[in-house]
Amino acid sequence: DRYVKDIVAAPIVSDAEIRKYYDEHKNDFALPEQAKVRHIVISWNNKPQPQAMDMIKQVATEIRGGAPSPRDDTPENQQILLTRFSAAARRYSEDGSAPAGGDLGWVSKGSLDKNFEEAAFNMKPMTMSGIVESQYGYHLIFVEDRKPAGQQPFDEAKGDIREFLMTQHSADVMGSVKRLTN
């Protein structure tokens, strides 16, 4: 299979054809704004809403208590806040990301709960939010980093384009394979 893709199909799907496809379909390679996000969620599904609010307030107080002031945003202090946030997420968050310190990874703008997204995409990197209510409960959000909207680089898209174009030329590829086996 790899031989067919790398050797037999190479002349059928050329680098020039891949570049041409990329240049003619730039909108297909647009990337939305992204944020690397962690969160702590306290849900009200199994408890009354006031109790959930009290819990998230206690978690926020624990994280901020003893942490550097938000105005003192040196890299060392930001790292301390991140470490405290991750530890609190492991202890208190009520979702599947808790064991990973609340890490949701890179999330795209337009893919999250409206309130959560609004908070996350309006925060500076390496900061923690106040309490944010979503359809899932009460959250504390920590944004580690941000990427602006942009274009997927050609080198990153090249392999996917090659695979796509090979399926478009599958009859030609199969013809070449048959000629080799005869």
Side-chain angles (χ1 to χ4, degrees), residues 20-177:
K20 181 179 179 215
Y21 183 89
Y22 178 82
D23 291 341
E24 291 175 356
H25 297 88
K26 290 235 183 235
N27 288 344
D28 294 347
F29 303 99
L31 298 173
E33 182 178 359
Q34 295 182 314
K36 186 165 181 356
V37 177
R38 291 179 183 269
H39 81 135
I40 297 169
V41 61
I42 304 295
S43 173
W44 52 73
N45 290 338
N46 301 325
K47 64 186 83 51
Q49 241 175 314
Q51 184 181 355
M53 176 58 87
D54 289 343
M55 287 179 69
I56 198 77
K57 283 179 181 177
Q58 287 174 339
V59 173
T61 300
E62 180 180 314
I63 293 168
R64 287 193 174 108
S69 165
R71 286 168 284 204
D72 189 10
D73 62 351
T74 64
E76 296 80 21
N77 288 342
Q78 291 171 338
Q79 193 60 47
I80 290 168
L81 184 59
L82 172 59
T83 301
R84 292 176 66 89
F85 188 94
S86 299
R90 283 195 262 313
R91 276 196 307 276
Y92 302 113
S93 192
E94 298 176 351
D95 81 335
S97 69
D103 191 357
L104 297 177
W106 287 98
V107 295
S108 298
K109 195 166 192 175
S111 66
L112 302 168
D113 172 89
K114 184 179 127 251
N115 293 342
F116 188 103
E117 182 173 289
E118 186 177 321
F121 282 92
N122 285 308
M123 293 172 57
K124 288 182 3 185
M126 297 304 286
T127 60
M128 185 176 98
S129 72
I131 297 169
V132 176
E133 183 176 347
S134 81
Q135 64 185 342
Y136 305 105
Y138 295 116
H139 302 262
L140 295 173
I141 302 168
F142 190 94
V143 173
E144 287 185 60
D145 201 0
R146 301 266 294 278
K147 291 181 189 175
Q151 185 86 19
Q152 182 180 21
F154 173 72
D155 289 337
E156 289 179 17
K158 187 176 178 179
D160 292 336
I161 297 170
R162 178 182 298 282
E163 293 292 324
F164 173 74
L165 292 176
M166 281 188 359
T167 62
Q168 300 297 305
H169 295 293
S170 61
D172 298 333
V173 173
M174 293 313 295
S176 292
V177 170

